[in-house]
Amino acid sequence: MIASDGDHLISLIDEISYVAPPSPMLSQYEDIPAEYFCNSDNRPSDCGENCQCTHKIDIPLDAIVEIVLVDEVQQVNLSHPFHLHGTSFHVLGLGRSPDNNVKRMNLQHAIDLDRRGMLKRRFVKPALKDTVAVPNNGYTVIRFRADNPGFWLFHCHFQFHIVIGMNLVIQIGSKKDLPPIPPNFPRCGNHVPPILM
């Protein structure tokens, strides 16, 4: 979804626009204040309708994850190509609303369709991908096993949408599931280039 925060356009996933953290999550996670992170279950009280933060979703290692992507913005011939780093996923379903009485797809409508069994899933030989298009005014259902620990970016592949926040980070596993940070590993801000006179 594309919205405006008054000064510029922002892009949203679950009404959250992604803002990059001040340090890399993989090597300097402890340097990032906890209030930088949020998700749809953990929104700061002052976040407002279009929240801006480091959108991060925590997934236990080896969990089965299903994501339903819904395009709520009716833009003609614009399907968002969503890409997940770190793992491939199966595409179980893709299309527009099977309910002809509804002209505009939104998350609540998709949830209702799913409860009624109308978002069909194909479990026999589903396509394996790392990028899939979400049809304009439609939905896509993906599923994967979270077996690769780390911090993985999930984003629309339109560069403009990445820049204005249509991303989130999926954290698979916990710190104990990750390899240790090598000793003397470079840190952001500790490299000072030589000053030439």
Side-chain angles (χ1 to χ4, degrees):
M1 180 176 169
I2 309 290
S4 173
D5 72 350
D7 294 330
H8 63 282
L9 285 178
I10 59 173
S11 199
L12 307 166
I13 298 176
D14 270 351
E15 297 179 342
I16 298 172
S17 182
Y18 182 83
V19 176
S23 301
M25 286 185 256
L26 189 58
S27 62
Q28 291 179 243
Y29 190 82
E30 289 78 18
D31 294 349
I32 305 169
E35 60 268 15
Y36 271 69
F37 297 108
C38 76
N39 56 48
S40 59
D41 295 329
N42 177 28
R43 292 171 61 95
S45 58
D46 63 346
C47 216
E49 182 181 346
N50 299 329
C51 193
Q52 295 182 40
C53 65
T54 302
H55 192 176
K56 182 173 74 73
I57 298 173
D58 299 329
I59 305 293
L61 187 62
D62 290 323
I64 301 296
V65 180
E66 182 173 279
I67 299 173
V68 178
L69 298 162
V70 178
D71 178 40
E72 294 186 348
V73 179
Q74 291 187 354
Q75 294 183 358
V76 179
N77 297 326
L78 178 65
S79 296
H80 296 279
F82 264 81
H83 175 65
L84 176 59
H85 292 248
T87 190
S88 299
F89 51 78
H90 289 95
V91 180
L92 300 183
L94 185 139
R96 292 192 173 82
S97 174
D99 185 344
N100 294 330
N101 297 322
V102 174
K103 300 295 181 217
R104 184 172 186 263
M105 189 76 160
N106 63 41
L107 181 59
Q108 192 54 51
H109 175 62
I111 291 170
D112 180 55
L113 289 173
D114 204 25
R115 284 188 182 133
R116 296 187 308 180
M118 295 177 71
L119 287 189
K120 300 294 182 195
R121 288 165 175 78
R122 177 182 175 189
F123 295 107
V124 178
K125 296 184 180 179
L128 184 65
K129 297 183 171 281
D130 65 10
T131 306
V132 65
V134 181
N136 68 307
N137 197 30
Y139 70 92
T140 301
V141 181
I142 65 172
R143 190 180 286 187
F144 62 93
R145 178 178 295 279
D147 59 1
N148 189 9
F151 298 88
W152 303 109
L153 193 62
F154 185 49
H155 61 92
C156 177
H157 230 291
F158 291 134
Q159 189 161 2
F160 176 65
H161 290 175
I162 294 170
V163 171
I164 63 174
M166 196 179 286
N167 329 279
L168 62 84
V169 169
I170 295 176
Q171 179 182 347
I172 296 177
S174 64
K175 184 176 178 181
K176 69 177 179 52
D177 298 315
L178 298 170
I181 300 165
N184 301 317
F185 191 75
R187 296 174 55 84
C188 285
N190 72 350
H191 174 72
V192 180
I195 299 174
L196 303 174
M197 297 273 191

